[in-house]
Each structure stands twice: as structure tokens, then as C-alpha cells.
Amino acid sequence: MQIRDLPYPDPGRPDARSGPRFLYWLGRRQLRGQLKSLSWGLLHQLGVAGLPLGAGLAVQAVVDRSGGRLALAGAVIALFGCAITLGDTMLHRTAVTNWITAASRVQQLLARKTAELGSALTRRVAAGEVVAVSTGDVEKIGWFVEALSRFLAAAIAVVVVCVSLVFYLPSIGAVVAVGVPVLALAVLPLLPRATQRADVQREKAGRATELAADTVAGLRVLRGIGGEELFLTRYREASQEVRAAAVRSARMWALISAIQVFLPGILLITVVWYGAILAGDGRISVGELVTVYSAVTLLLFPLRHFEEIAMAYSFSRPSATRAARVLRLERTSYEDERGGLDDARPTGDLFDPATGMLAPAGQLTAVVCGDPDAAGRLAERLGGHAAEEEKSASVLLGSVALDDLPLDAARASVLVQDKDPVLLSGTLTELLDVPASGAVKPRDALDAAQCDDVLAALVQASVDGSGDPLRSRITERGRSLSGGQRQRLALARSLVADPEVLVLDEPTSAVDSHTEARIAEGVRRLRSGRTTVVFASSPLLLDRADTVVFVHDGKVAAVGSHRELLRDDPRYLSVVTRRTDEEAEAAGTEAAAEPGPEPGDEPGDDAQVPTPLKTREQLAEIEETA
């Protein structure tokens, strides 16, 4: 795989059981690139290791006044110099390729997992952690993959040089063969502590990143409630914790670096001292002493890779652990392992066995839940995005379980718009350019969602002067728009998609009542003949639904029209009118005290069920508004 071939057609299915297993899987997937880098690294390292031989031959030729051997030594040095140049150039090329391709593979895996989980991802993993994994952690994982082949080349070169010195000059080669492994292993007792400190630093940095991302995402709200200084103080404290952890980690790595400078220096002094004694006694030649000295000096270069691989692993292991934690998350409704279903999308009623909720095909069904969190969970279940801990039976579309549908088919059939939809930056045309049936035009969707004032605001804020709102740019997450404007643009995007089933969770909670009434009529008109489920408690939406389903304590408690449920179910009345428990109890007491109809009274069209005064006022107000 070359950089020009990215992205991968298929990044593979990772082994995400743990961080080390993920790193091992990643290395195996790039075995060919690793072997290339290892080969060029060996050429480079052995070229460096061969220079002392040429230097020793040259010095001895000068001592012996031999021009021929001096020329031979020059040719040997030139040959090893060419090997170093070619090996270093290609090593850098292949190593960087391994780094970029590994990082790209991890990013593709994360992007695929994000698309698979959708909005369920941020309920299981903090958004800031996802950002940290897909940015800084990806680079550190790539660093380890890139450094691994260079470390192996350096280790092989060290072994070759030590063995060669033993055969070339046993008296000194034995000292080098014993001393070099000691140098390589001397820092091992310090590595666990260094790794632990690096883990603490990365953990604190990840929390600081999460805090920063979440603060930026909620900056508009923080300004509204005056909480900017509070969160700024929290970020300062988190940042100082990261700084202190980084200093502690740097001290340990500085100690390791100092040891790897001090001990090789001791070895070099020992070799020179012992070699000088042997040369003085005439047991070795000057050229042999220069060769051994040069070899030991140049051995310090590959030994540096031992420190680098330790640092790369200590930083990449927690990064890989975080990436594996995200990658091993699974969507509860996943691809059909039994060979797939027909290409035709299923149709029919939408039914949830867990709650008993039924949304008839082709109708507008409103769902009322007393608990907003329960409403959000139910909306996610209807889209096949149930939380991992929910093990109840799958939602059915017609006779087909959403869990049995391939991922693409499930999302094309049922679209869920949550109560806090995200708008990506770009033009309005790009925002509305989503996979769709083509039956709903963008202009019609914008009209149904009552986006006239949004379009006018975008034209006014446009810098290109085109006057076309569809070419106006929307800032990141639509921060320049109000909550109601963002909500309506997201609704228009969902209407353009025109799915078989559209699930809307509180789509008009941030708009005024007049706009809400027009939106209700627009959605009903545009979604005629399509199944639409709206989670709401607004009488304006409920009164326009074909069927209203009241869910209480996780189960369907009542089904009917809005007015029927207002009259027949006190719990529904309390939720819609937002009465407190004390108010409901007081209303019940008044109802018990109010006299019933006289025995002789005949119920007619104008007869009314005895209702507490407060309840009658609320009914009149709701019906008048509706």
C-alpha cells in the first residue's frame, strides 16, 4: 500500500480486545511495508557498522605506508557510504509511508465505527475522547508502527556488529559483546515507571481535551447563563494537571536518556583504555584498535532506537487502548449474518415489542412520554440504535426486524432526528444534499419547515452577494443561528431524505406556537402517505396527529386521539398540561367534592362530565390554541 492508494478499499476488521492486540493486528496488516522498511533499515545500519572497518584499514595502510591498501580502504568507505545514503533515503520513505498508512487505517476504522453507531456513540464515549483518539492518538499509533521496523533493523545490526567484533578481535570483542546488552537492558527497570507516568499524562490530556471540546460545543449556552468563567477555571486546572504530569513524565525520560549517555561513555572509555594497553603490548595493531573504537562509537547510534521504541510504545499503548475501546463498540442491530435479505426495503407498520407502541403505516403518529429521557431512548430504539445494555426484542417494520436488516437498509428505511440535531459547516445546498428518494424538493422541505426567516438571515449574512440562500454558508454546528432556526433546518434536511419511516424527537421544542402550528401542517402535508412518528407534548402537534400513543413507565398506557386522551386519561392530561403532582392531587380532590348530575338529567350534546374548574380551564385553553 502506497500513500497514493489511500484510502483503503477495506481497512479490515480490527482486533480490539486490548491496546497491545490492536497494535499487533495493525502491524500484521502492514507486514509488507514493515519488511520493506526493515530491509532498507538493515542496509543503512550495516553500512554505518561497516565504516569502522574501512577506517581501520585506512589507518593501518597509512601506518604500513601501503598505497594499494589505502585505495582499497577508500573504496570500502565509499561503498559503505553509498549503502548508507541509499538505505537512509529509502528507509525514511518507507517508514513515513508506514506511519501515514497506519494512521489512515486507524482513521478509516474510527470513521466507519462512528458512521455505524451514529448518535449512540456519544452516549457511550465522550465526544472529546473521540476527537482525541482521531487526532493525537492516531499519530502516536502511527509512530509506533513506523518505529518498529527501524528498531528491528537496529537490533539486528547491533547483534551483527557484536558477533563480528568477537570474531575480528576476540580480546576486545568479548568486552563489547558483554557491555552492549547491558547498555540495552539497563533502562528496562525504569520503563514501567516511565510508561505509568506517560499513561497518567495521556489520561489527563484526554480529559482536558474532552473538557475543552464540550466547553466549546456549549459556549453559546454558557454565555447565556454566565458560566464561562467557571468552565474556564476548570480548564485551567485540568491544563495545569496535564503540565505537571508532563513534567513528571519528562523527568523520567530524561533519566533514561542520561543513563543511555553515561553507560555507553563508560563502555567507550573501557574499550579505549583496554585497547590502548593491548596495542602498547603489541598484541593488536593500531588499525584494529581504531576499528574497534569506531565500531563501539557507532554502536551508540542504533542503541538510540531502543530508547525510541520504548517511548513510542509507552505513548502508543494508551492511545491504542482508547482506540480499541471505541472500535469494539457494537451496534445492537447489525448486518444480517444469515446471508442478507432482499434488496427491497420493508414496509408496513412500525412496532416496538418492548413498549407495545404501534405506528400504523402511512399515518402521522404522535408519542407522548412523561420522561424526556425515556422518549429519547424509545426514539433511538425505533431507528435500530438501541443502547448496548438494552436486550429486548428488535423493533419490527412490517414483518421484518430492524436487527435483521443490513446497516444501510435499516438507515434508509428508518430515519431518526434527535432533539439536538447537528448541522455541519458548508452551504445550505450541501446541507440538504443527503441520500434521498428525490420525491421531496429542497424548496418544498424548507417551506414545510417554515424556514423563510432562516433563509433571509442567511442571505443577509452572506459574503458572496449572490442573494441565493442555498449558496449561503452555515457556520460549524450552525452556531450563528438560533436554536429554533437550527431545529427547522434539520427538520428540512430530514424531510428531503424522505425515508419510509421518519422519527422526530421534539422537532419544534425551540419555536413559537404560531410557527409550530404551521410546521405541523407542513409536515402532515409533505409526509402524506408516509409513516411519521413524532415525540412531542405540544397540543398543536398532538391535535394534528392521526393517532396519539401515551407511554407511561415504559409501556403503552393509552391510544387514541388527542382530545379523547385529554378527556379519558388523567395521566395524559397531566403530562400535556405539565401539571405537578400536587396540582393533580388538588384537582382530584375538587373533582370528588363537585356534585354529579341530578338523577333526572338526560345527557345531551351539551352535557359535560363533571370536571374540576382548573381542568376545564386548561381544556378550553388547549382546544382554543389547537
Side-chain angles (χ1 to χ4, degrees), residues 516-551:
E516 186 178 36
R518 293 193 294 269
I519 290 176
E521 289 294 342
V523 170
R524 183 180 180 87
R525 181 183 68 255
L526 207 59
R527 293 287 300 172
S528 177
R530 292 290 216 182
T531 306
T532 308
V533 180
V534 180
F535 286 81
S537 58
S538 167
L540 294 171
L541 284 174
L542 299 175
D543 198 47
R544 286 162 176 77
D546 298 309
T547 305
V548 177
V549 178
F550 177 51
V551 178

Side-chain angles (χ1 to χ4, degrees), residues 74-84:
V76 171
I77 292 175
L79 177 63
F80 284 123
C82 292
I84 292 173

Side-chain angles (χ1 to χ4, degrees), residues 156-433:
I156 294 174
V158 168
V159 173
V160 170
V161 170
C162 290
V163 173
S164 300
L165 286 177
V166 170
F167 284 98
Y168 178 72
L169 200 61
S171 56
I172 300 181
V175 176
V176 176
V178 173
V180 168
V182 172
L183 296 181
L185 301 177
V187 297
L188 285 183
L190 299 176
L191 287 180
R193 184 181 292 269
T195 302
Q196 182 182 11
R197 292 190 178 186
D199 289 349
V200 172
Q201 177 196 352
R202 294 298 305 158
E203 181 181 355
K204 291 183 179 296
R207 286 203 297 264
T209 302
E210 293 174 24
L211 180 60
D214 294 342
T215 301
V216 171
L219 191 59
R220 186 186 184 100
V221 177
L222 291 176
R223 286 176 175 171
I225 63 176
E228 297 171 86
E229 189 60 35
L230 173 62
F231 276 80
L232 183 59
T233 302
R234 291 181 182 177
Y235 181 74
R236 285 198 190 102
E237 294 173 353
S239 179
Q240 289 303 311
E241 289 181 3
V242 174
R243 181 195 61 79
V247 170
R248 288 193 296 269
S249 178
R251 286 173 179 167
M252 185 57 64
W253 288 112
L255 177 59
I256 292 175
S257 298
I259 292 175
Q260 290 199 327
V261 171
F262 175 74
L263 293 183
I266 296 297
L267 176 63
L268 190 60
I269 292 173
T270 302
V271 169
V272 172
W273 174 75
Y274 184 53
I277 293 176
L278 295 179
D281 294 341
R283 296 165 60 182
I284 63 173
S285 65
V286 176
E288 290 173 332
L289 177 59
V290 171
T291 299
V292 175
Y293 170 77
S294 301
V296 174
T297 302
L298 292 177
L299 272 178
L300 303 183
F301 172 69
L303 283 176
R304 284 290 180 181
H305 291 287
F306 287 73
E307 178 188 356
E308 182 190 10
I309 195 65
M311 291 185 65
Y313 180 72
S314 66
F315 279 93
S316 65
R317 186 177 60 82
S319 297
T321 300
R322 278 191 292 271
R325 184 164 59 246
V326 175
L327 293 176
R328 66 171 170 260
L329 295 175
E330 293 291 342
R331 177 178 178 266
T332 52
S333 51
Y334 202 66
E335 297 180 1
D336 185 24
E337 298 178 355
R338 298 171 297 176
L341 302 173
D342 296 337
D343 292 336
R345 297 177 184 174
T347 58
D349 299 340
L350 186 68
F351 176 68
D352 176 30
T355 60
M357 196 221 77
L358 175 67
Q363 294 187 15
L364 174 61
T365 302
V367 180
V368 177
C369 291
D371 182 3
D373 293 334
R377 291 193 296 269
L378 178 55
E380 294 296 335
R381 275 186 50 77
L382 295 180
H385 305 290
E388 195 172 31
E389 60 274 9
E390 293 186 15
K391 303 298 183 182
S392 53
S394 170
V395 171
L396 301 177
L397 180 55
S399 59
V400 178
L402 288 184
D403 286 359
D404 290 338
L405 283 175
L407 183 61
D408 293 342
R411 290 193 168 168
S413 299
V414 182
L415 173 63
V416 178
Q417 176 182 306
D418 59 25
K419 58 172 60 70
D420 187 22
V422 175
L423 301 182
L424 302 179
S425 59
T427 64
L428 188 55
T429 299
E430 294 170 343
L431 175 70
L432 300 178
D433 185 16

Side-chain angles (χ1 to χ4, degrees), residues 64-125:
D64 297 340
R65 297 180 180 277
S66 174
R69 282 189 291 162
L70 183 61
L72 176 62
V76 171
I77 292 175
L79 177 63
F80 284 123
C82 292
I84 292 173
T85 302
L86 178 61
D88 192 27
T89 301
M90 296 306 297
L91 172 63
H92 180 74
R93 179 183 180 90
T94 54
V96 171
T97 300
N98 286 338
W99 187 336
I100 294 177
T101 51
S104 177
R105 186 187 297 275
V106 177
Q107 284 183 325
Q108 280 188 249
L109 290 171
L110 291 170
R112 186 174 67 177
K113 181 60 65 174
T114 301
E116 177 186 318
L117 294 176
S119 60
L121 176 63
T122 53
R123 292 202 304 270
R124 306 181 194 178
V125 181

Side-chain angles (χ1 to χ4, degrees), residues 450-484:
Q450 299 298 308
C451 293
D452 293 342
D453 63 317
V454 184
L455 300 181
L458 290 175
V459 170
Q460 186 176 5
S462 176
V463 295
D464 58 5
S466 63
D468 184 2
L470 295 179
R471 295 175 57 185
S472 301
R473 297 196 64 82
I474 300 173
T475 57
E476 181 187 4
R477 299 179 68 91
R479 300 189 194 281
S480 61
L481 303 174
S482 67

